[in-house]
Amino acid sequence: MKFGPGIIHDDDFLTPEECVEVSHKVLSLKAHWEARLGPYQFATLGCAAYLDGESEYSQKSATLNPLLLETFHSIYQRLRLYFSQILDAEAYYDEAYSYPGFHLFKFEGFEISDDKPADRAHFDYQFAKVFPDFASTTDVPLTFTIPIEEPSTGSSLEMWDLRPEGHAEIGYEHEKYAHTHPSRTVHYSVGRIFTHDGLNLHAMGQIAPGTTGRRITLQGHVFRTERGWLIYW
């Protein structure tokens, strides 16, 4: 399967009933959530390279991986089989890296007035924090999202045309670029897996005024190694 500029591949992955079950499990592990900085109520379950990769990644991964594996073993097995199939090579996990984890947002209908996805536009460069030899790979890294629970106004992804090779040309002012150039909206659907290379400028989609409820997504990345495709977060 081909991935590259602007390509987003999506497939059915979990049934609505399975998503409800996963959501219940995530909520039951609230004692293990970590509150994160942001304009909304935002937490994670699991260790994320983009947040923890520079200092606490190894320790947090070692602490949380057993819990995640015990609770979501069947999901991880399904992910491994899925990526092995679409990438036509072995996909695997490594205990030195975090298992895929969850983004958790809660909206109560009053905290949103003028949400702008461009304010949080970014590239997925997290692999540079946990793979020192990342420059030697010839395959693009991959990012995936599985919506588990959506708030009242749904959920989406915004994607711009800007790629890393054009980042330097605009003086690394990618947020300014996002505010002044059109983006493409990719509407999410609960239970489907959305995969792209993470190297188009992108952001969590707009949160409309009055939005209520939870936005829970299973997040992860896939990185090419000598053995195959390593699934991690």
Side-chain angles (χ1 to χ4, degrees):
M1 183 170 292
K2 180 181 179 181
F3 290 93
I7 296 174
I8 302 176
H9 183 77
D10 64 291
D11 278 313
D12 287 331
F13 192 81
L14 296 172
T15 66
E17 293 77 17
E18 288 173 324
C19 287
V20 170
E21 181 181 356
V22 172
S23 179
H24 287 164
K25 289 181 178 179
V26 170
L27 295 175
S28 75
L29 297 176
K30 189 172 183 178
H32 301 278
W33 297 5
E34 182 172 355
R36 303 291 191 171
L37 295 176
Y40 310 123
Q41 297 182 63
F42 172 40
T44 55
L45 174 60
C47 177
Y50 81 99
L51 293 169
D52 307 308
E54 294 181 344
S55 57
E56 303 175 290
Y57 188 79
S58 295
Q59 180 181 349
K60 284 187 177 181
S61 296
T63 299
L64 292 169
N65 274 355
L67 175 70
L68 293 172
L69 183 59
E70 178 182 5
T71 309
F72 304 106
H73 178 271
S74 63
I75 304 299
Y76 293 142
Q77 174 70 354
R78 195 180 303 186
L79 277 171
R80 188 185 66 79
L81 294 174
Y82 174 77
F83 282 111
S84 293
Q85 179 180 22
I86 71 167
L87 297 174
D88 196 26
E90 180 189 10
Y92 68 100
Y93 299 98
D94 185 325
E95 291 298 329
Y97 299 89
S98 175
Y99 281 89
F102 297 86
H103 277 165
L104 307 118
F105 292 86
K106 184 178 181 181
F107 305 106
E108 297 181 343
F110 58 82
E111 69 272 62
I112 303 160
S113 59
D114 189 23
D115 182 73
K116 293 183 174 65
D119 290 341
R120 51 182 174 265
H122 63 281
F123 301 96
D124 285 352
Y125 288 153
Q126 80 296 321
F127 53 83
K129 296 184 177 182
V130 292
F131 298 103
D133 59 345
F134 71 90
S136 64
T137 185
T138 57
D139 293 280
V140 296
L142 299 177
T143 290
F144 66 88
T145 296
I146 305 173
I148 302 299
E149 183 174 340
E150 289 187 318
S152 61
T153 55
S155 60
S156 62
L157 173 79
E158 292 296 317
M159 180 175 285
W160 289 263
D161 288 337
L162 185 66
R163 300 279 292 180
E165 52 267 30
H167 201 188
E169 295 175 8
I170 62 169
Y172 301 100
E173 296 286 343
H174 59 274
E175 289 188 15
K176 181 178 179 180
Y177 176 97
H179 278 283
T180 55
H181 290 75
S183 60
R184 171 166 58 115
T185 302
V186 179
H187 293 284
Y188 283 157
S189 180
V190 166
R192 289 185 70 81
I193 183 169
F194 294 79
T195 308
H196 57 103
D197 69 8
L199 298 179
N200 272 72
L201 188 67
H202 62 281
M204 182 176 78
Q206 185 176 31
I207 309 301
T211 294
T212 59
R214 288 185 291 261
R215 185 188 197 273
I216 301 177
T217 56
L218 176 58
Q219 303 285 153
H221 308 286
V222 192
F223 189 81
R224 181 67 160 168
T225 69
E226 291 185 359
R227 175 178 167 182
W229 289 91
L230 173 61
I231 305 171
Y232 74 103
W233 191 24

